Amino acid sequence: MRGRRRLGRPFGWLWAAYAVSAYGSGLGFGAFPLIAVLALHAGPAEVSALSAVGPAVGALIAVPLAPWVEFRHKRPVMIGMDLARCAAMATIPVGYALGRLTWVQLLVVSVVVAAAKIAFNAASGAFLKALVRPDDLLVANARFESTNWSSIAVGPPLGGAAIGLFGPVVTVIADAFSYLLSALCLTAIGGREEAPRPRGEAPRAGEAARRTTGEAVPSAATGDAAMRTTAEAVPRTTAEAVPQATGDAATRPPGEPAPPPARKGGPRRTAGLLDGWRHIMGHPVLRALYLNQLLVAGLIMATEPLLAVLLLRRLGFPPWQYGLAFAAPCLGGLVGSRLARRVVARHGRSAVFRTVGTLRAVWLIGLVFVRPGVTGLVTVMAVELAIIVNMSLYTPVLAAYRLEHTPKHLVARTLTAWSVGQQAAIALCTALGGLLADATGPRTALTVAGLLILATPLLLPRPEGTPPASPAEPDATARARTAP
């Protein structure tokens, strides 16, 4: 009988932290615009600004945070970002109860939450890299992906019902509380982290001696005698000892160039804001995946407000059907994320990037043909389901590859650069889509987005340019584990 693959107790707590935060955010999905409309009687311009400006400014703030995150212990950073989001979100129900809630306060909280989210994700990626084994990275990311889609499927409908029963700020309270629970789960991981070491910096003498003699070095993420690989930026279980990363040739991953030596005068702690983008753009495959992801994410997300106008205003769909059209297909994310590892093992990572990456893009044009009634509802759900299944299969493979091919000293800055770029692409495409819809109508704007996204597979890496998939399932005689 096939069982769930064990990734260790520390990963279980990390996953629990991710889950409670994801479900809290799912419950609070769309809460700020709803509060702006229901409690502050904001107009369309204010609601649009709240949705676009807050995340955009937060992304800009996150850029200088990246080097700070890079050279600090990652778990305290994650806990701090959770507590910051909890505190910021908690000011909203307080302001509402006192009758002092303002649009500016919503905007400031939106900025804080967006910046903290990017910093948290950067730190968590680096932490995950040090937590589980290299060949478990895809499994770990697939579990995060399935949790994400299940929270989107369940959270918004429950959140909408809660708002109808208890008022507009109840989901914000739940979201704030979820960040507190997430911080507690991260605290429960325990152990000590290895001090982050800039590129080219030699290990301490005692640590080097232990590595030379083969003595176990305590794992930074788990606090026990689990060992680290630097071969790839990936998770590992606490049950197995592997050589720790030092940046020297003995532990460097095959094919990864030696890091340049640190400059005189010590490492640059506050510089290197653009190092994440330099790494992405200097790596041929990452560059192709990054540019493709910017356009795909931007064009798909740009259709959300267009579809809302088309379905609710032009075609007369009731709100519950609109919510159902987007919530139900999210269950397809559970399917795609669970298939990811098996598909990679059978067909290879290059095939996933090319084939599944293409399949993400071909369905969006179907939204142009939505009509009133049940037929239109089924059309939207079918298109969304096809997109989500392929996205949930593709995303953990991309996340695993990105970590594997990012040096340890650049993980936080690379993930920050990726998030900031994607956020900017979504904001730009959404703004342009709105302008086009104002001038020509939402169906025309959907047609343009659907046609443009058909060209995005041209940016995907060529098959010969994508390194082979990460090692398949380890020898069963060495480790009695099975895929999920």
Side-chain angles (χ1 to χ4, degrees), residues 114-414:
K117 178 181 179 180
I118 293 175
F120 180 96
N121 290 343
S124 66
F127 188 75
L128 184 65
K129 167 179 179 164
L131 189 61
V132 296
R133 295 185 339 226
D135 53 347
D136 285 332
L137 176 60
L138 180 55
V139 175
N141 278 287
R143 291 181 185 177
F144 288 146
E145 186 73 6
S146 65
T147 302
N148 177 59
W149 285 111
S150 63
S151 70
I152 296 174
V154 173
L158 292 179
I163 288 174
L165 292 173
F166 304 110
V169 299
V170 64
T171 58
V172 175
I173 297 173
D175 198 5
F177 185 64
S178 75
Y179 292 127
L180 180 60
L181 288 179
S182 173
L184 292 175
C185 290
L186 294 171
T187 302
I189 293 176
R192 297 176 58 190
E193 284 189 71
E194 176 190 5
R197 190 161 43 245
R199 61 183 182 182
E201 182 177 312
R204 292 185 295 274
E207 187 178 337
R210 287 195 300 271
R211 287 178 186 139
T212 304
T213 60
E215 181 182 341
V217 181
S219 167
T222 66
D224 55 25
M227 306 290 292
R228 319 279 208 105
T229 44
T230 62
E232 300 182 286
V234 258
R236 30 191 108 72
T237 58
T238 60
E240 184 177 32
V242 237
Q244 168 67 26
T246 67
D248 56 87
T251 57
R252 193 179 308 123
E256 181 179 312
R263 296 184 179 185
K264 291 183 179 181
R268 300 176 300 159
R269 298 279 175 153
T270 58
L273 299 182
L274 302 180
D275 283 352
W277 279 286
R278 291 192 185 102
H279 169 63
I280 293 170
M281 302 310 290
H283 189 293
V285 178
L286 282 180
R287 180 174 64 243
L289 294 172
Y290 178 64
L291 296 176
N292 172 267
Q293 184 69 14
L294 294 187
L295 287 178
V296 170
L299 290 169
I300 288 177
M301 295 304 295
T303 64
E304 277 197 17
L306 304 176
L307 204 55
V309 173
L310 179 64
L311 296 182
L312 297 173
R313 186 173 300 174
R314 302 290 179 88
L315 301 182
F317 279 65
W320 72 268
Q321 287 187 355
Y322 176 77
L324 179 65
F326 289 97
C330 290
L331 296 175
L334 301 176
V335 177
S337 58
R338 289 189 64 83
L339 288 175
R341 190 173 187 276
R342 298 172 187 174
V343 172
V344 169
R346 181 169 183 176
H347 300 287
R349 188 160 49 192
S350 176
V352 171
F353 284 152
R354 294 294 302 177
T355 304
V356 182
T358 299
L359 289 175
R360 293 179 306 159
V362 300
W363 306 101
L364 195 65
I365 192 68
L367 295 176
V368 176
F369 305 103
V370 174
R371 293 291 182 266
V374 176
T375 302
L377 178 64
V378 172
T379 300
V380 174
M381 294 177 67
V383 170
E384 294 290 330
L385 178 63
I387 293 174
I388 288 171
V389 168
N390 286 286
M391 285 179 64
S392 61
L393 198 163
Y394 178 93
T395 300
V397 180
L398 169 62
Y401 181 88
R402 184 175 57 206
L403 278 181
E404 289 173 9
H405 291 268
T406 299
K408 185 178 180 180
H409 68 278
L410 284 174
V411 173
R413 282 169 287 179
T414 298

